[in-house]
Amino acid sequence: MKEKYSVSLYDILDHCSNDELAPIVDSLVGSPFSYLKHARAYLRFQPDHGAYRDQIAEEIYRLGLFLTESFSAQAGSMAGEKHSYDDLIATVCKKIAIPIAGVDVVQHEAMLINMFTKQHLLTADPERRAALVKEAAGAAGKAAASILTTDAWLPFVSTLVEIAYLRGVMVADGRLLGHDSHTLVMRPEPKTAVSVVGDDGRHAFALAAIPEEKTQDWSFMVPDGRTRSQLAPLLTALQPFFSAEQMLSGKNIYSAEAALSWSDKVGGYVGVAKGHKGMVDLHQVTAIGISGPAIFLTAATAIAQQQQMQRIEEALDEIKAMLADISRFQQDERRSTLTGSIRYFKQVARAVLSGELAPEVLHTIEHHEAELNKVYDHLAKDLHVATEALRAVKKDTFGSSKYVKALQDGQTTVMGCYDDILLCLRARACGFQLMSAYPGREAGKQARYEAIAEDLRPFLPTGEATIAIDRILREKLQVVSSYESKASLLARENALLDNLIVADRAITAAIAPAFLLSNHADDCLVLDFQVEAGEIVGIRVG
């Protein structure tokens, strides 16, 4: 059974800077319920708030325990165990009537913050987000204090809103592990490695064996025929290092690492045996038939091309499945255009990426791109109409429940338009990948790349279309008194923005070059592969 993920308030505050702790301390010491402002550590060290982080956490826990049944007023002391940070956030949401059933701490945080911000944080410029959160923290605290029976809720809720925002910032910049990353297994460091030297005397790459139990979470790709042929020279060169016992003992995992450096003398990239990622003083062995890192880079390029082909096929399958699930796409001309393009791209993808670059195929790809552009223009107009319809919803036309239902219906239409637009852009990105396999016409490729990126921009979280929709929703929510109804509408907006982030990554990855050697200049390139009975049966870029 998977262990429940829990966040420690102490851990969060331990990673905060003085500037980040300042608004939290201000909220606490500005309250008549504050013990912290009388504490010796506060009086002695402030404004060096990092010197008394634990006391800050204790003040928050004390307020939390005071505001729940775990506090014994008669004894004037804390009873029972301290709540986790997750429980504190959930308690606040529950008290304000924000639904918490089946929702994790990340969703609680997002809902608590965006319930009181004047703008969804994802639609705001990064430099404005802290100010928006500070304002929201005060509003949330006042709202809780007005609903409940004691002003102690004001500092408690205000500080938790600030901390919820800071935790997200720290997860994003790597200071804290996130909800999904706490169990990630770090790449194992091999205890021993050899420096594989070609028969020209130049270092080619480092090779190390990795225990299979250390790679349980790794995902290997089965090499296709073309990739296998490109790997054959590499495997031949490595055969002397595979013992008979290894050959017969099932799968063995190896990691090959090339530290690359440009050489003007050689006129290409050469391998470096030390100075990169701890590769120092490696024992050298000679492999016949290897000259520098060329054989390694050829194998890496073949793997990258196979990965690109698989990504295109997976993307096309995903687009097709999503299209089938969207009821708005009736059997009309737009649906026919999208499905026709997807079907054709899938049909020619394997041939194009394997090097069969027929001119008539390129012409047809460009024809589909032109048709998809027309579909995109129509869909963008549909979204504009849906946005104006959402803006036109008025409360004086409906009762409270009907007003919320009208807003939900308007959101549904808007979200459907976004789904359609993103599917169209993903199809265009797949066409761009296929077109990019053809040599030359670099100016045309760059123009196509920029056109897709430009057409995606308005629909990103910080794009003008998304900001306009967020602004309309916030205006409508001002006359909604039920926090539960507000939470429902904001949860739908959060889902839309999450989808936009996922789509942005997918489209950006699709139009980015699959493998450029220049990206690895003066860097390390790592390939991991599974060997079974002398054959490479699995590969991955480490």
Side-chain angles (χ1 to χ4, degrees), residues 11 64 70 257 306 332 445 506:
D11 287 344
S70 297
E257 180 175 9
Q306 182 180 339
D332 59 12
K445 293 176 184 177

Side-chain angles (χ1 to χ4, degrees), residues 58-200:
E58 295 293 343
E59 177 87 335
I60 297 169
Y61 275 127
R62 185 188 65 80
L63 285 170
L65 289 166
F66 171 74
L67 295 167
T68 63
E69 295 178 355
S70 297
F71 183 83
S72 171
Q74 293 76 14
S77 62
M78 292 178 291
E81 296 183 359
K82 291 179 182 175
H83 295 300
S84 69
Y85 167 77
D86 312 41
D87 291 336
L88 296 178
I89 291 287
T91 296
V92 171
C93 289
K94 185 176 181 180
K95 293 295 184 182
I96 302 178
I98 296 175
I100 62 173
V103 180
D104 62 27
V105 65
V106 177
Q107 294 167 306
H108 286 154
E109 290 171 324
M111 192 63 65
L112 184 59
I113 293 170
N114 286 302
M115 177 73 73
F116 296 97
T117 51
K118 292 183 177 180
Q119 180 180 359
H120 196 293
L121 290 188
L122 290 177
T123 70
D125 293 331
E127 58 270 17
R128 291 191 58 241
R129 292 175 184 173
L132 285 169
V133 170
K134 184 175 182 179
E135 188 177 7
K142 290 176 183 177
S146 66
I147 295 172
L148 303 165
T149 55
T150 170
D151 288 341
W153 284 99
L154 175 57
F156 179 61
V157 174
S158 297
T159 56
L160 285 181
V161 171
E162 291 278 3
I163 291 169
Y165 167 70
L166 289 175
R167 196 181 79 84
V169 171
M170 289 187 284
V171 168
D173 65 23
R175 282 181 283 169
L176 279 178
L177 291 176
H179 184 261
D180 295 325
S181 60
H182 66 287
T183 58
L184 290 181
V185 178
M186 299 299 292
R187 180 178 181 82
E189 289 291 336
K191 293 182 179 180
T192 59
V194 296
S195 173
V196 179
V197 179
D199 46 19
D200 58 357

